Amino acid sequence: MLDDIIKAYNEAVFETDRDAAFEVVNGALDRGLSPEDVVFKVVIPAVEEMMAGITRNPDQNLAQHFMTAQIAAEVTDEMLKRFQHPPEVIGRVVIGTAQGDLHSLGKRIVMGCLKALMVEVTDLGVNVPAERFVDEAVAHDAQVIAVSAMMVHTAMGEQGCRRVRELLHERGLEGRVKIVVGGAPYRFDDQLYLQVGADGWAADGIAAGRMIVDLIKSTKAEHQP
Ligand code: B12
């Protein structure tokens, strides 16, 4: 059954047919597939296939890629509403895309993974100033600030993660709040997260979920009386 669903979903997004994609997803739910499986076994692999397509042929139709990303984001948002509600929250994360960066899909996927792992997530959206990351982390009593950056200049620039690190330092919050980063530039250089002052990074949503849960647990343990 799963193979048929994946094939039908991939055909729909290849045709950039949003309604057909939703029909496939709703049909899959009717046939008993869980919202979690829709995201992790159907939507994410389709996005990964799109990314592999771009690597193979950078001249591929950008509109098609954009629609694949848009459809994936919409389906993910719908499925997240139906994810099993966690009985107990492990910790809290504020997440956003760095200042100057409007890429949102990777962040959404990370959010989905975190929610599935019982982490409370506050989405700050895209183009988020460093000050806002820190203010919101304090307001939500978050253990982790998650900064997504898809472009080299937003990953490495002075207004992104580096500035968040400076602000945490200035406000004496470094023990209480950790910073994690992710996005294409970090996949190209797996040491880049250290250069920009982050505590951790991950290459995909699933690894991000695991890494952030570990960081929340260790941060909470350090602060237990
Ligand atoms: C889709 C896309 C767009 C869409 C974005 C739609 C949207 N709503 O998000 C649109 C068309 C709008 C777009 C615009 C632009 N884009 Co664009 N875009 C892409 C593309 C093709 C895919 C990005 C994507 O969605 N990937 C799919 C998701 C699932 O993967 P992901 O984002 O990497 O996220 C995963 C991991 O990285 C990780 N992760 C992500 N965030 C985080 C955060 C944390 C904390 C953690 C732990 C993990 C984590 O987990 C995620 C899930 O597995 C990439 C190419 C690529 N190969 O990445 C270019 C790319 C990022 N774009 C690029 C560029 C240049 C642009 C534009 C400047 C183009 C232009 N000339 O206008 C604009 C910039 C707009 C802006 N100011 O932000 C360049 C950046 C180059 C560079 N070296 O800086 C890329 C790399 C394309 C290229 N090869 O040139 N883009």
Side-chain angles (χ1 to χ4, degrees):
M1 167 178 101
L2 187 61
D3 286 346
D4 295 344
I5 294 168
I6 291 170
K7 188 164 174 282
Y9 179 83
N10 286 352
E11 279 170 8
V13 291
F14 186 78
E15 297 294 335
T16 67
D17 189 339
R18 176 192 173 281
D19 292 345
F22 267 95
E23 254 173 52
V24 173
V25 165
N26 290 329
L29 293 172
D30 289 344
R31 289 163 73 186
L33 203 69
S34 70
E36 286 85 347
D37 278 352
V38 169
V39 172
F40 297 125
K41 295 186 178 162
V42 181
V43 177
I44 294 179
V47 172
E48 280 164 357
E49 175 50 32
M50 170 195 72
M51 288 171 64
I54 294 172
T55 311
R56 281 193 301 268
N57 177 11
D59 296 329
Q60 269 191 6
N61 183 342
L62 184 62
Q64 201 174 36
H65 296 142
F66 179 66
M67 280 308 291
T68 308
Q70 284 295 113
I71 292 169
E74 279 188 54
V75 172
T76 302
D77 274 351
E78 272 310 306
M79 294 304 105
L80 288 178
K81 291 179 200 156
R82 304 181 202 196
F83 269 28
Q84 295 286 327
H85 281 297
E88 193 190 335
V89 168
I90 288 178
R92 283 171 296 279
V93 172
V94 293
I95 189 168
T97 307
Q99 184 157 355
D101 202 319
L102 304 176
H103 293 87
S104 59
L105 182 59
K107 169 177 72 71
R108 283 182 198 220
I109 290 174
V110 173
M111 285 172 58
C113 296
L114 288 172
K115 287 184 183 183
L117 291 170
M118 302 181 190
V119 174
E120 196 177 283
V121 191
T122 302
D123 182 15
L124 307 180
V126 296
N127 191 23
V128 180
E131 286 72 12
R132 182 148 178 252
F133 275 112
V134 177
D135 290 346
E136 296 278 357
V138 171
H140 292 275
D141 195 17
Q143 292 83 19
V144 173
I145 293 174
V147 184
S148 184
M150 288 300 295
M151 296 185 288
V152 171
H153 68 279
T154 54
M156 299 189 68
E158 292 303 321
Q159 297 308 313
C161 180
R162 289 180 202 271
R163 181 70 187 134
V164 176
R165 166 59 64 205
E166 278 172 11
L167 289 168
L168 288 183
H169 182 70
E170 284 166 17
R171 297 188 197 176
L173 293 167
E174 284 179 304
R176 218 176 94 190
V177 186
K178 302 296 175 195
I179 315 171
V180 299
V181 290
Y186 299 103
R187 284 207 306 262
F188 294 129
D189 176 356
D190 66 7
Q191 298 300 300
L192 182 60
Y193 80 101
L194 293 170
Q195 280 181 45
V196 299
D199 296 295
W201 85 285
D204 59 55
I206 293 166
R210 290 197 197 106
M211 182 265 295
I212 290 172
V213 165
D214 287 347
L215 203 51
I216 288 173
K217 286 182 178 163
S218 60
T219 308
K220 279 171 120 177
E222 276 168 31
H223 280 82
Q224 244 142 40

